[in-house]
Amino acid sequence: MSSTLLEVTRAAHEEVERLERLIVKDLQNEPPSSKDRLFQSHRVRHMIDTVAATTEKLIEVYEDKDNARKDEIAALGGQTATGTNVFSAFYDRLKEIREYHRKHPAARVVDANEEYEALLKEEPQIEFSGEEAFGRYLDLHELYHQYINVKFGEPIEYSAYLDVFSQPERISRKLKLTRQYKEYLENIVEYLVYFFQRTEPLQDLDRIFAKVEGDFEEAWADSKVEGWENGGQENGHAPLQNTVIDLDYYSSVEELMEVGPEKLKEALAALGLKSGGTVQQRAERLFLTKHAPLDKLDKKHFAKGSRGSEQNGVVAFQQMDNGKDIALMEAKLKKLCSLLEETITRTKENVEKKQALTYEEMEAEREEEETQADTESDDDEQQIYNPLKLPMGWDGKPIPYWLYKLHGLGQEFKCEICGNHSYWGRRAFERHFKEWRHQHGMRCLGIPNTKNFNEITSIQEAQELWERIQERQGLNKWRPDLEEEYEDREGNIYNKKTYTDLQRQGLI
């Protein structure tokens, strides 16, 4: 039934619209954990790729290069070789439908929504190593071993490598032009790209790299690329196109001598030829290359250590192009490191923490992280329902209302003598008169902490009460040994004399 091109087109449009609605529905749900958030991103990425592939097929159908769509539309209108017959086309199509249902009597309509809704519960298979911990950390151990075993590397710890691998400008340009460095750079960029695609599947990395390449080309043309400011030449030498002289403009050695000894020397050195001698000897040696390739010249014209034809200008240009490719990869490396800055920081902290743990502790921590990742939810992010504004318990939830009423935890008592300290509940307020904080406050005021001052929390009231007691009893009638109260660890109350005696006997 769906073999016609128009039916295929209709089904493709329906699939695109249904996938677009599913993408919106999936993104409206807030994932409860980082693992679910990663699954959601990969599901959406897969649906976007499906939409793009289906759209490309629809474009091919509408372009109709083989005129199949045009012929099918004409056939629906009853257009044939002998003329137009609408009724004949209608009954032919009706016959086809009846024939289909006769062959498939048990055919039923399949609800495609159920199949597509199942995509929202799908958990894509994402490959992560154990060290990567499902995208939380980087696993650069293989690249680290490659780094410390090459000439441009240095023997450092893995934790230190995490600080320097994103800084290619630390390496000298001479070592950057080696095959080992280029392979190392290709490997590290390839790994970071693969890691970024697994952890951030919705990011358009091609667009990011396109912008990086555009900025790099401008900076390279202006010689502003960090570490490559001189156009790819080491030690500040001039670029090759400025040192090679175009011999087509010179018809004799005498004309070439007018260039000057320094430029002739630079041109000869760039081609690997001897650059010594007089100006005329230099010009004659350079003029030989106008009519003969370097590999045809006598070896006596080449400088020591040069290899004949391999020291020609073509090789130099190839080295410059190679340097440009390496500089571009370094720019991509820096961009990837900036995008993965948080992950790199987490990796450093994880490595430093592991250095202080035993193997058993690391295994226990890994199991705990896996369990925590599986049970992580958004309960903590939700607002706790607490209309009565009850105090929070040890579990972060409001205490029961009966406990709140029983202990009077909703009442706040402030004591000025204790430095305006707050006590919640009647029981806590009554107990605080025998605690060190209140006793210290009374001692600072020069007032004995006796039962006469219970329920007194104001400094002024305590001082007024103490003055009245002194007036009633007289200044010399205060007996601290008998009236001043002390409390032991078990909460027993003694006067000063009894407390001192028991303390001397070691009973307290």
Side-chain angles (χ1 to χ4, degrees):
M1 291 295 294
S2 61
S3 59
T4 62
L5 191 59
L6 293 179
E7 177 62 22
V8 171
T9 305
R10 185 207 62 77
H13 278 290
E14 181 183 5
E15 182 182 12
V16 170
E17 293 177 3
R18 185 175 282 112
L19 288 174
E20 289 175 349
R21 288 195 295 269
L22 280 177
I23 291 173
V24 174
K25 186 176 181 180
D26 199 357
L27 292 177
Q28 286 177 342
N29 299 326
E30 185 66 24
S33 64
S34 57
K35 185 176 182 180
D36 293 330
R37 187 176 297 108
L38 192 59
F39 284 153
Q40 182 193 67
S41 300
H42 278 272
R43 283 197 302 268
V44 173
R45 176 79 259 177
H46 176 68
M47 287 188 281
I48 291 175
D49 293 340
T50 305
V51 169
T54 306
T55 305
E56 290 178 359
K57 294 179 181 178
L58 285 172
I59 292 175
E60 294 179 359
V61 171
Y62 284 118
E63 288 178 352
D64 198 20
K65 295 180 179 180
D66 55 355
N67 294 326
R69 183 171 179 272
K70 181 179 179 181
D71 295 341
E72 188 169 325
I73 293 175
L76 285 176
Q79 296 180 7
T80 60
T82 57
T84 303
N85 191 343
V86 179
F87 292 102
S88 176
F90 171 77
Y91 284 112
D92 289 342
R93 185 58 58 88
L94 180 61
K95 181 180 179 182
E96 180 183 349
I97 295 173
R98 288 176 175 174
E99 185 67 20
Y100 175 83
H101 285 283
R102 185 184 66 80
K103 292 181 179 179
H104 307 87
R108 63 183 182 87
V109 178
V110 179
D111 188 6
N113 290 328
E114 296 181 0
E115 179 181 353
Y116 282 93
E117 288 291 337
L119 293 176
L120 299 178
K121 302 178 182 179
E122 181 184 358
E123 294 186 355
Q125 295 293 330
I126 312 172
E127 295 182 357
F128 285 107
S129 65
E131 186 70 20
E132 290 173 337
F134 215 80
R136 295 183 62 188
Y137 312 117
L138 292 172
D139 185 6
L140 298 174
H141 286 85
E142 184 177 350
L143 295 165
Y144 162 69
H145 289 294
Q146 183 180 356
Y147 175 81
I148 63 176
N149 288 290
V150 290
K151 290 184 178 180
F152 59 83
E154 50 185 336
I156 56 177
E157 296 291 336
Y158 181 64
S159 57
Y161 172 73
L162 294 173
D163 291 323
V164 303
F165 84 94
S166 59
Q167 303 171 7
E169 63 274 5
R170 293 165 53 93
I171 303 173
S172 65
R173 193 183 307 175
K174 182 178 180 181
L175 296 174
K176 288 182 180 181
L177 296 175
T178 60
R179 178 179 55 83
Q180 288 181 334
Y181 180 75
K182 186 175 182 180
E183 291 179 354
Y184 163 77
L185 202 59
E186 290 174 350
N187 292 336
I188 194 170
V189 170
E190 181 182 0
Y191 170 77
L192 292 178
V193 167
Y194 181 50
F195 183 86
F196 187 78
Q197 290 174 342
R198 286 178 292 164
T199 55
E200 299 291 340
L202 296 181
Q203 292 279 0
D204 190 353
L205 197 56
D206 293 336
R207 181 179 298 179
I208 294 174
F209 278 167
K211 187 176 184 304
V212 171
E213 291 174 2
D215 297 340
F216 172 80
E217 291 294 338
E218 295 179 2
W220 183 265
D222 298 337
S223 297
K224 294 182 179 180
V225 179
E226 186 178 3
W228 303 85
E229 288 81 1
N230 298 311
Q233 296 296 315
E234 180 71 20
N235 299 327
H237 293 322
L240 183 65
Q241 57 265 29
N242 297 331
T243 59
V244 176
I245 299 174
D246 190 356
L247 299 179
D248 293 337
Y249 293 100
Y250 303 94
S251 57
S252 64
V253 175
E254 287 74 15
E255 294 180 1
L256 191 58
M257 290 173 60
E258 297 177 359
V259 173
E262 293 300 325
K263 289 188 176 181
L264 289 173
K265 181 178 179 180
E266 292 177 358
L268 290 170
L271 296 175
L273 300 174
K274 291 181 179 180
S275 56
T278 62
V279 177
Q280 183 176 359
Q281 291 175 341
R282 295 177 185 180
E284 291 175 351
R285 196 178 302 122
L286 183 60
F287 197 74
L288 292 175
T289 62
K290 180 176 182 179
H291 304 291
L294 290 178
D295 54 352
K296 300 295 184 181
L297 294 179
D298 194 345
K299 292 183 180 181
K300 66 180 181 179
H301 297 299
F302 291 94
K304 290 184 179 180
S306 64
R307 294 179 295 175
S309 60
E310 293 183 3
Q311 297 293 332
N312 56 23
V314 176
V315 173
F317 275 117
Q318 289 177 351
Q319 290 180 353
M320 183 179 296
D321 292 338
N322 187 35
K324 184 178 181 180
D325 295 339
I326 292 174
L328 178 58
M329 281 193 289
E330 290 180 350
K332 292 181 178 180
L333 172 63
K334 292 180 180 179
K335 183 62 177 180
L336 288 168
C337 290
S338 65
L339 295 174
L340 297 170
E341 183 177 1
E342 294 183 3
T343 306
I344 295 173
T345 303
R346 278 200 305 267
T347 306
K348 294 178 186 176
E349 295 173 353
N350 183 54
V351 171
E352 292 173 355
K353 183 174 66 174
K354 281 185 175 181
Q355 290 176 347
L357 299 178
T358 62
Y359 176 77
E360 291 76 11
E361 291 173 337
M362 286 189 290
E363 288 297 320
E365 184 176 358
R366 180 177 298 179
E367 293 177 0
E368 183 180 352
E369 289 179 356
E370 293 177 355
T371 305
Q372 183 179 1
D374 293 336
T375 59
E376 185 182 5
S377 63
D378 58 349
D379 292 341
D380 296 337
E381 299 177 0
Q382 294 180 356
Q383 186 176 3
I384 298 176
Y385 183 70
N386 186 16
L388 299 178
K389 297 183 179 180
L390 299 173
M392 296 297 174
W394 62 270
D395 57 352
K397 298 179 180 180
I399 65 172
Y401 183 72
W402 64 267
L403 184 62
Y404 168 80
K405 295 298 291 182
L406 177 64
H407 296 281
L409 298 178
Q411 296 177 327
E412 180 184 10
F413 299 90
K414 284 190 175 182
C415 182
E416 186 180 3
I417 298 174
C418 297
N420 289 325
H421 189 77
S422 296
Y423 299 93
W424 291 90
R426 182 69 191 177
R427 177 176 296 183
F429 175 70
E430 292 176 353
R431 288 176 59 87
H432 101 279
F433 290 106
K434 302 175 183 178
E435 294 178 353
W436 68 269
R437 189 191 303 273
H438 191 81
Q439 292 178 358
H440 178 72
M442 295 291 286
R443 193 178 299 112
C444 292
L445 295 174
I447 301 174
N449 186 29
T450 63
K451 59 183 178 181
N452 295 325
F453 293 90
N454 283 355
E455 304 292 332
I456 301 297
T457 59
S458 172
I459 295 177
Q460 184 178 356
E461 292 179 1
Q463 291 175 341
E464 291 175 355
L465 178 58
W466 176 234
E467 291 176 358
R468 289 197 300 268
I469 292 174
Q470 287 178 328
E471 291 176 358
R472 186 170 62 250
Q473 296 180 352
L475 293 174
N476 298 326
K477 292 185 179 181
W478 160 246
R479 295 176 296 175
D481 293 344
L482 300 177
E483 296 184 12
E484 190 171 358
E485 296 180 346
Y486 285 79
E487 180 183 4
D488 61 6
R489 293 182 180 180
E490 298 178 358
N492 300 317
I493 305 299
Y494 307 97
N495 57 34
K496 183 177 181 180
K497 182 180 179 181
T498 306
Y499 182 84
T500 306
D501 292 341
L502 293 174
Q503 190 177 36
R504 287 173 180 174
Q505 296 174 17
L507 300 177
I508 297 179

